[in-house]
Amino acid sequence: MNLREALKAGEKTLAEAGIADAPTDARLLLWKAAGITLTEYALDPFREMGEEEVREYLELIGRRKKRIPLQHLTGEQEFMGLSFQVNRDVLIPRQDTELLVEEALKLLKPGMHVLDLCTGSGCIIISLERIGKERGLADETGSFTGSDISPGAVRTAMANAARHQARALFTESDLFEKLEGGYDMIISNPPYIRTAVIEELEEEVRCYDPLLALDGKEDGLHFYRRIIREAEGYLNPGGWLLFEIGYDQREAVTELMKQQGYRQIQVKKDLAGLDRVVIGRYDRM
């Protein structure tokens, strides 16, 4: 079997299994199994594959056919132009979350102390540190911290920080429980899916993303309430709080922030036109 034949066979198998983006998934799994890049494939699509390469590719296609997420098979996901290690301990980074980082970058200044709650893979805080440094928005006088209740998530985030040589520290903590000190910006993509809705999610999410990263309790607002209430003890005067939200949570989250004393509240929409990010400033000045 040559590369082109393998790719066509993989596409057909995944399409018949109802995988939404069968051509892309088949291609990326072929690159992994054969240890090649798109350019190498384009230069010689008729290269014969070794027996081990064929065996690995067919195994990967078979696992993807069973709805195991592509990223769990390749072991990585791109986010903000960086490649992050992912596994079953962390939520797979989504493109929608890039808006949260982009909005945080607009507020970031040298010397700021930034905290990322429910950090997961660390993609948010690592991207913020790396891109912030490249743009002159961050320096050695500031700090970047991520926390997560999951020890597996913390280990993954630390590995990703090492991969990108990011100056970020990670702590295993139930939100603020083991944290201290003041922050100029707190950013979070917390669990916000209502418990009753989780069973309706697509299989790749329902069965493979960690429940801890999905379940926002009965109304999906549990972690917003906790963070908004507890953050006042950790935000410096005039500090910013930024959240990713579900498409229907704009009014609830903004009202919670108003009640707790936040001002300059803004809501940003994603590329699909859905409410995605809420920003507020704690007015203690």
Side-chain angles (χ1 to χ4, degrees):
M1 183 180 289
N2 63 43
L3 293 170
R4 187 174 183 277
E5 290 170 339
L7 181 57
K8 293 300 180 184
E11 288 179 5
K12 184 174 185 294
T13 298
L14 295 184
E16 290 175 347
I19 301 300
D21 201 355
T24 296
D25 288 9
R27 183 174 69 250
L28 292 175
L29 293 176
L30 180 62
W31 296 177
K32 178 176 176 60
I36 61 172
T37 64
L38 172 60
T39 300
E40 290 170 325
Y41 175 83
L43 290 173
D44 189 9
F46 299 104
R47 173 175 78 75
E48 289 295 323
M49 297 177 66
E51 290 184 11
E52 182 63 23
E53 291 177 336
V54 172
R55 184 201 62 76
E56 182 178 353
Y57 183 58
L58 295 179
E59 180 181 330
L60 288 170
I61 290 294
R63 294 175 69 193
R64 183 68 186 103
K65 180 181 176 180
K66 295 177 181 178
R67 301 286 175 169
I68 296 175
L70 171 71
Q71 295 86 349
H72 287 179
L73 299 175
T74 62
E76 59 185 22
Q77 170 66 19
E78 184 174 305
F79 182 84
M80 295 298 294
L82 301 171
S83 178
F84 288 89
Q85 173 188 327
V86 295
N87 50 48
R88 297 204 52 172
D89 289 321
V90 300
L91 190 73
I92 297 170
R94 269 69 168 179
Q95 184 179 12
D96 290 338
T97 305
E98 293 186 354
L99 179 62
L100 185 61
V101 177
E102 290 166 358
E103 292 300 323
L105 285 167
K106 294 177 183 178
L107 301 172
L108 186 64
K109 296 178 181 178
M112 273 191 168
H113 299 284
V114 185
L115 172 64
D116 174 24
L117 293 173
C118 310
T119 195
S121 66
C123 65
I124 292 173
I125 197 72
I126 292 169
S127 297
L128 197 56
E129 192 274 344
R130 289 286 77 199
I131 298 172
K133 186 174 181 180
E134 290 174 3
R135 297 182 184 177
L137 304 173
D139 59 22
E140 300 298 319
T141 64
S143 66
F144 294 82
T145 304
S147 79
D148 201 291
I149 195 172
S150 164
V154 171
R155 287 193 298 271
T156 303
M158 292 174 67
N160 279 320
R163 169 186 285 200
H164 295 294
Q165 298 182 317
R167 194 172 56 84
L169 299 176
F170 296 92
T171 301
E172 182 184 334
S173 176
D174 181 2
L175 298 185
F176 297 100
E177 180 186 29
K178 297 178 182 178
L179 300 173
E180 56 185 38
Y183 298 94
D184 303 295
M185 186 190 303
I186 296 175
I187 184 169
S188 183
N189 177 18
Y192 59 72
I193 298 174
R194 297 190 301 277
T195 302
V197 175
I198 290 175
E199 285 303 313
E200 303 172 11
L201 299 174
E202 60 183 14
E203 188 174 344
E204 285 90 338
V205 176
R206 184 181 73 250
C207 297
Y208 295 99
D209 274 336
L211 183 62
L212 278 173
L214 299 174
D215 191 358
K217 309 301 181 183
E218 185 176 359
D219 63 358
L221 300 171
H222 173 80
F223 292 98
Y224 296 112
R225 290 192 187 93
R226 281 193 60 190
I227 294 170
I228 291 169
R229 182 178 65 249
E230 297 173 21
E232 63 180 273
Y234 296 86
L235 270 175
N236 290 328
W240 294 96
L241 179 61
L242 294 86
F243 287 119
E244 177 171 332
I245 61 170
Y247 73 95
D248 59 350
Q249 294 175 321
R250 170 184 180 142
E251 292 184 8
V253 175
T254 55
E255 183 60 30
L256 287 170
M257 294 179 77
K258 288 177 183 177
Q259 292 175 4
Q260 205 65 29
Y262 288 84
R263 300 292 181 263
Q264 300 180 41
I265 298 173
Q266 309 167 55
V267 179
K268 303 293 182 177
K269 295 182 181 293
D270 60 22
L271 293 175
L274 301 175
D275 294 329
R276 183 60 58 185
V277 171
V278 175
I279 306 166
R281 194 172 197 180
Y282 196 67
D283 188 3
R284 292 191 297 180
M285 293 185 290

